[in-house]
Amino acid sequence: RIRLFDPTAFTDIKLEFRNVEMATLTPYSATFAGRRITSGKLSLDLEYKIDKRQLAGENKVVMTRLTLGERVESATASNLPLDLAIAILEDSDGRIDLGLPVSGSLDDPQFSYGQIVWKAIVNVLTKIVTAPFRALGAMLGGGGNQQLDNIGFDVGRAVLLPPEREKLKTLADAMDKRPGLAVTVQAGYDSEADAAALRQLALRRAVAVQSGRSVAADEDPGPISLSQAASRQALEQLFVKRFGAETLAGVKQQLASPKSTAGAASRPVAAAASAPKPVAPAASAGLSDAMAAELYPLLLKRLLDAEVIDQPRLEALAADRAKSIGDELAARAVPTTRVRVEASKKSEVSGRAVPTVLGLAVAAAPPSAAAVPAKAASLPAVR
């Protein structure tokens, strides 16, 4: 419907286009996107209304098997990662389905229908590439509120927690519906929190093994009970292995001295080696309760401080975290070729977890994107 003698006062039109060859639209894509179109089909359902020179329009755009070609120099092109946007938008049938509302005033001196449509497209693509996980979750009807862009691990651990497994399940389901996507994994480690946790774990394992327990390689032996005789004996034996029997005897003699209680815990271990007259390390059974209450926390602290967690160990922890994520995705049928592990990085504990950052990328190498010197093909004015 249209007011023939005054169409800007009232117009209400609908248009349909089916199976338009997108390669013929290269002049538009080159000008506004800086990329040629190699192939693809386009279908459009358009509905536009003009009321008193105000335009309101709805565009339903369906693109099938869209393939972009090389870059083209264009001063008006937006610098967006279009290959990633297409990989997020394109479903397993190669379809991209977009709804693009547009509006504007015909009295605007800069009004251009072509610019309005392209601005709507750029807005959609910008939202997608700046928050890809949120966009992916929203498009697939779930996961939009989940923080799929990071997986949290307990400090010192590389075992996936149940909530994080659920995140990866959501991600795997999304990747199944978006075959053009790959996920990048950049595992993190906290230099202080992870190192402290690893020192504690190493000492707990050492005490458990020294006590005669069998501990698996990936097993957490649990806390050290300073009230148990086996743990006390193991601490003394480990202390002797690291610092020597004379040092342990000196520590005990210092604690046995009436003047020792105020400052024994703060004295360096090395100073204990010069104690006047060592007593036998095996004499622990005769310790008073008060002396034992000071001795074993002190031995525990000294051994813990002596544990060294170097940079390679922290990086190995990050690698284990990345492997846990990759294994979980592989178990959910995500091909290993679509999981890319990047170099680990320093991170910080967020809440109670150390985050590993995930990202989205294009699964297959995009077409050659080398810039060509030719300028974008000229466009007819669209007013």
Side-chain angles (χ1 to χ4, degrees):
R1 302 191 311 171
I2 186 170
R3 188 173 295 174
L4 290 176
F5 297 103
D6 193 2
T8 61
F10 177 80
T11 297
D12 185 353
I13 60 174
K14 294 182 180 180
L15 304 91
E16 293 182 1
F17 296 86
R18 294 291 179 264
N19 296 320
V20 178
E21 287 286 350
M22 294 194 69
T24 62
L25 302 178
T26 282
Y28 289 90
S29 68
T31 297
F32 294 121
R35 296 286 291 274
R36 296 186 183 277
I37 297 178
T38 301
S39 63
K41 296 279 190 177
L42 174 68
S43 294
L44 299 172
D45 287 295
L46 311 178
E47 182 174 355
Y48 290 95
K49 296 181 180 181
I50 300 176
D51 184 17
K52 298 176 182 178
R53 304 187 63 81
Q54 298 297 313
L55 169 70
E58 294 288 340
N59 302 279
K60 182 180 180 182
V61 182
V62 177
M63 292 172 275
T64 306
R65 307 295 178 188
L66 171 61
T67 303
L68 295 180
E70 71 272 14
R71 293 193 184 279
V72 177
E73 292 181 359
S74 172
T76 58
S78 299
N79 186 23
L80 291 172
L82 296 179
D83 295 296
L84 175 59
I86 290 173
I88 293 173
L89 289 167
E90 193 172 64
D91 65 18
S92 56
D93 295 323
R95 283 170 52 94
I96 296 175
D97 195 335
L98 291 177
L100 298 173
V102 296
S103 61
S105 171
L106 303 186
D107 292 324
D108 185 347
Q110 301 300 319
F111 178 83
S112 166
Y113 168 71
Q115 290 180 3
I116 288 178
V117 172
W118 181 246
K119 183 178 180 180
I121 294 174
V122 169
N123 287 341
V124 170
L125 296 182
T126 300
K127 289 179 180 178
I128 289 173
V129 298
T130 54
F133 284 99
R134 182 181 301 173
L136 184 64
M139 282 187 289
L140 299 178
N145 295 325
Q146 286 183 286
Q147 292 183 325
L148 298 180
D149 56 349
N150 77 78
I151 300 297
F153 290 89
D154 283 340
V155 291
R157 304 293 302 277
V159 178
L160 283 168
L161 301 171
E164 309 311 296
R165 289 182 183 276
E166 191 63 28
K167 286 184 184 180
L168 292 175
K169 177 183 181 301
T170 301
L171 178 58
D173 292 342
M175 293 181 69
D176 181 58
K177 297 173 182 176
R178 292 293 187 267
L181 280 178
V183 62
T184 61
V185 182
Q186 187 175 42
Y189 59 87
D190 188 303
S191 300
E192 295 183 3
D194 276 330
L198 288 174
R199 283 196 295 271
Q200 293 174 3
L201 177 61
L203 183 55
R204 293 201 308 270
R205 290 179 59 83
V207 170
V209 171
Q210 190 67 41
S211 302
R213 289 172 51 191
S214 177
V215 182
D218 58 349
E219 180 184 352
D220 188 330
I224 299 172
S225 176
L226 297 182
S227 62
Q228 292 182 351
S231 296
R232 290 181 172 187
Q233 184 177 11
L235 282 173
E236 290 195 37
Q237 292 169 344
L238 290 172
F239 193 91
V240 168
K241 286 180 180 180
R242 182 173 289 275
F243 302 113
E246 290 185 355
T247 303
L248 176 59
V251 170
K252 290 181 177 180
Q253 185 165 343
Q254 287 178 339
L255 292 175
S257 170
K259 300 180 180 180
S260 67
T261 55
S266 62
R267 295 192 187 103
V269 171
S274 60
K277 186 178 180 181
V279 295
S284 304
L287 293 176
S288 66
D289 290 343
M291 183 174 173
E294 286 191 76
L295 174 63
Y296 295 108
L298 174 60
L299 299 186
L300 183 66
K301 182 179 184 304
R302 298 301 192 197
L303 288 168
L304 190 61
D305 290 343
E307 287 288 342
V308 176
I309 303 298
D310 56 12
Q311 185 68 19
R313 179 66 186 88
L314 291 170
E315 292 176 355
L317 173 62
D320 288 342
R321 288 168 172 166
K323 184 177 183 301
S324 293
I325 292 172
D327 290 346
E328 182 69 17
L329 290 174
R332 299 188 179 278
V334 177
T336 56
T337 54
R338 295 175 62 191
V339 180
R340 302 172 188 171
V341 177
E342 300 181 345
S344 59
K345 68 170 187 176
K346 291 184 179 180
S347 185
E348 292 184 359
V349 172
S350 176
R352 294 183 298 174
V354 181
T356 283
V357 178
L358 303 185
L360 293 178
V362 181
S368 174
V372 296
K375 293 184 179 180
S378 60
L379 280 174
V382 181
R383 300 294 296 174

